[in-house]
Amino acid sequence: MLDEATTDLTLDQVNHHERAGVLPIAFSLLHVVGGQDRSASQFLGNGADTIWESADWATRIGFMGVHPGRGTAVADAEKVRIGDLAAWREYQAAVFAKTESALENATLALFEKDAFGGERPPAARGSFLLLFVPSGPIRVMDVVEAYIFQHAARHLGEIEHARALVGLGGIS
């Protein structure tokens, strides 16, 4: 659905900043797709480099601003921009293809594996992951559910709302 949500966007729409406190679509895209890239690499790709790092996508997409991660200050998040939408779509497609391939080729044993070696990562506090798994071991299947699926669904809603702000309809 993220592909569908972005297929008809223009660069101006992706970078549109409605007003203070409202993030541009660029932030949401960079955050959710970049997060999927990191999660798929770390948990499904045995720590392989992310697509972002392996091919200098920051330069290729003309990335402007601070890297959008969890906890990015709103004032900084408002300034995130993409300079080349065609390049962005290439990156997004590469991330989705890598994730889908990793999921298709993963063994069931990988999904049952403890994702953090028995620890509960401090960086996950307040995240979907700890809401989804409030106690006990966090398995790779939990990470996939929380960091890839639920995280994307949450930001898809954000992107749908932002689409309305730039004059486009929803997708669902």
Side-chain angles (χ1 to χ4, degrees):
M1 290 183 77
L2 282 166
D3 280 335
E4 188 175 334
T6 59
T7 192
D8 60 345
L9 291 170
T10 66
L11 189 60
D12 286 341
Q13 290 167 329
V14 166
N15 290 322
H16 176 73
H17 181 234
E18 180 73 19
R19 64 183 178 279
V22 179
L23 305 181
I25 293 171
F27 172 85
S28 299
L29 289 174
L30 282 153
H31 175 72
V32 73
V33 177
Q36 184 176 129
D37 189 5
R38 284 186 303 282
S39 293
S41 295
Q42 181 178 356
F43 298 102
L44 299 172
N46 298 319
D49 283 345
T50 62
I51 292 171
W52 183 263
E53 294 164 339
S54 67
D56 192 23
W57 280 99
T59 300
R60 291 173 69 180
I61 70 160
F63 171 68
M64 294 164 261
V66 299
H67 194 74
R70 190 168 178 267
T72 300
V74 172
D76 292 330
E78 291 173 348
K79 298 173 187 166
V80 170
R81 300 291 185 272
I82 292 171
D84 184 333
L85 193 54
W88 167 260
R89 288 185 174 119
E90 285 180 53
Y91 170 68
Q92 179 174 293
V95 170
F96 293 167
K98 177 181 176 180
T99 302
E100 290 169 12
S101 176
L103 289 168
E104 288 171 2
N105 293 302
T107 65
L108 291 178
L110 174 64
F111 291 109
E112 291 296 329
K113 181 181 169 189
D114 187 322
F116 300 100
E119 300 293 322
R120 297 187 72 75
R125 286 199 178 105
S127 74
F128 284 114
L129 182 59
L130 296 187
L131 293 171
F132 187 66
V133 186
S135 62
I138 299 170
R139 299 165 298 171
V140 170
M141 77 169 71
D142 301 323
V143 170
V144 168
E145 173 72 19
Y147 283 170
I148 295 177
F149 176 71
Q150 290 186 23
H151 184 241
R154 180 254 189 259
H155 287 290
L156 178 62
E158 188 175 78
I159 291 166
E160 281 207 270
H161 177 69
R163 285 173 55 85
L165 295 175
V166 296
L168 297 173
I171 60 159
S172 59

